[in-house]
Amino acid sequence: MGEWTLFSPGDKAPNDGTYIEDGVNSFHMGINNPQKIKLRKGQRFPETTNHERKWKRLPKQ
């Protein structure tokens, strides 16, 4: 079993990191001005700007 890749508002962050809004149905168009947040392990994800969006972890840079 692997780690989840998309998180809903209210879920707890599995790891420290930067997360960005991702559209469930936006694989071909992307999102304009997505929110970015930094969370520590165990913090809850805030609401997204659209009910169809989820949170996704950005790759380490």
Side-chain angles (χ1 to χ4, degrees):
M1 279 211 194
E3 182 180 313
W4 290 358
T5 57
L6 294 176
F7 305 94
S8 298
D11 288 348
K12 289 184 178 180
N15 295 304
D16 295 353
T18 301
Y19 295 85
I20 190 169
E21 284 184 313
D22 189 35
V24 175
N25 295 322
S26 67
F27 58 89
H28 56 84
M29 290 179 50
I31 296 177
N32 293 331
N33 301 319
Q35 287 189 78
K36 289 183 184 178
I37 56 169
K38 288 189 178 188
L39 293 178
R40 310 236 349 122
K41 183 177 180 177
Q43 288 184 306
R44 294 203 180 265
F45 288 94
E47 290 296 319
T48 56
T49 55
N50 179 318
H51 72 281
E52 294 180 351
R53 294 184 182 175
K54 303 279 186 182
W55 292 104
K56 180 178 180 179
R57 186 169 184 199
L58 284 176
K60 292 182 181 179
Q61 298 182 14

